[in-house]
Amino acid sequence: MAHELPPLPYDYSALEPHIDSQTMHLHHDGHHAAYVKNLNAALEKHADLQKKPADELLRNINSIPEDIRTAVRNNGGGHVNHTMFWRIMKPQGGGEPSGKIADAIKKTFGSFGDFQKQFNEAGTKLFGSGWVWLVRAQGGKLQIVTTPNQNNPLSDGNFPIMGNDVWEHAYYLKYNNRRGEYLTAWWNVLNWAEINQRFEHSESGVHEPALAHR
Ligand code: MN
């Protein structure tokens, strides 16, 4: 079974003006496609691993053979991270969350505004390329964490509820070096219904729900 690039769930220009069409083309058709291609290439000589979903490979990253472990971490992570990323955004999104995730954010961080502030600060401080996440940690606590490169929180035992891509390829064409502006604008395209589903899934779930949509 080869891993496949999922289509964007909306048009390339649908997230304008916050995320521009050219960035979406390059990000999805270029970067995400390359992660999928390179993941499949890494698994070419490992028939047993080809049957496993990408999130399962990441969850058990230390059991992946050493000769392909880095390639799976980078490209399997790139695939799973971006599959989630497209789905937690939508046109005419944003606003304040509702439902269970809203209650959990309020309980953990005090208010939605405080959560946004801490999330953006973590994204601003992250040096180099990586992701900023809201995760459900072992024991159920919500936490803001960052990961370098394409590392996915599953490899640290944390379930990713939502995450923002702070690689330069995610924002440089439009925002240049102004990462903070991108981090702020991103909240305008969030799909809180999808994030709520991921949160509810995290309470019981084993598998990455975005991949199940393929
Ligand atoms: Mn990216």
Side-chain angles (χ1 to χ4, degrees):
M1 181 188 85
H3 297 279
E4 286 173 20
L5 178 67
L8 269 189
Y10 35 73
D11 191 76
Y12 292 94
S13 61
L15 305 181
E16 299 252 16
H18 309 292
I19 302 182
D20 60 290
S21 175
Q22 192 187 4
T23 294
M24 291 298 284
H25 270 286
L26 291 166
H27 203 172
H28 178 271
D29 304 355
H31 293 278
H32 190 172
Y35 297 128
V36 173
K37 183 170 173 252
N38 293 332
L39 174 62
N40 286 327
L43 298 175
E44 215 159 62
K45 291 178 184 151
H46 296 267
D48 53 323
L49 297 178
Q50 289 169 13
K51 296 180 208 116
K52 294 182 189 288
D55 59 316
E56 198 176 320
L57 300 176
L58 299 175
R59 201 182 284 272
N60 302 300
I61 193 72
N62 291 324
S63 67
I64 302 294
E66 260 183 66
D67 60 323
I68 60 163
R69 192 178 301 158
T70 299
V72 169
R73 183 185 285 116
N74 291 343
N75 296 293
H79 176 37
V80 174
N81 297 349
H82 288 85
T83 300
M84 172 213 70
F85 188 58
W86 313 131
R87 297 197 63 89
I88 64 163
M89 300 190 290
K90 68 167 196 175
Q92 283 91 49
E96 297 238 348
S98 58
K100 282 190 175 182
I101 190 68
D103 298 339
I105 285 172
K106 197 173 174 196
K107 190 175 159 201
T108 308
F109 301 98
S111 71
F112 178 55
D114 286 327
F115 164 62
Q116 280 184 303
K117 188 160 168 275
Q118 287 181 41
F119 192 97
N120 288 351
E121 275 173 9
T124 303
K125 280 187 197 152
L126 173 60
F127 185 77
S129 297
W131 290 71
V132 53
W133 306 90
L134 176 67
V135 301
R136 183 182 176 90
Q138 278 165 350
K141 191 172 160 38
L142 294 195
Q143 282 178 354
I144 294 167
V145 300
T146 59
T147 58
N149 306 314
Q150 292 294 349
N151 292 18
N152 184 284
L154 290 171
S155 300
D156 303 319
N158 295 325
F159 188 91
I161 295 167
M162 59 188 279
N164 195 0
D165 186 344
V166 290
W167 283 56
E168 285 185 346
H169 70 221
Y171 64 87
Y172 211 85
L173 286 178
K174 182 177 173 71
Y175 295 95
N176 307 137
N177 58 330
R178 302 182 305 277
R179 186 192 278 185
E181 280 183 34
Y182 160 72
L183 286 164
T184 303
W186 180 70
W187 298 92
N188 293 308
V189 294
L190 285 189
N191 181 344
W192 284 112
E194 179 78 12
I195 294 166
N196 249 309
Q197 281 183 18
R198 296 183 61 83
F199 175 61
E200 293 192 27
H201 180 89
S202 75
E203 295 177 308
S204 61
V206 178
H207 290 294
E208 163 55 56
L211 290 171
H213 288 286
R214 283 186 311 181

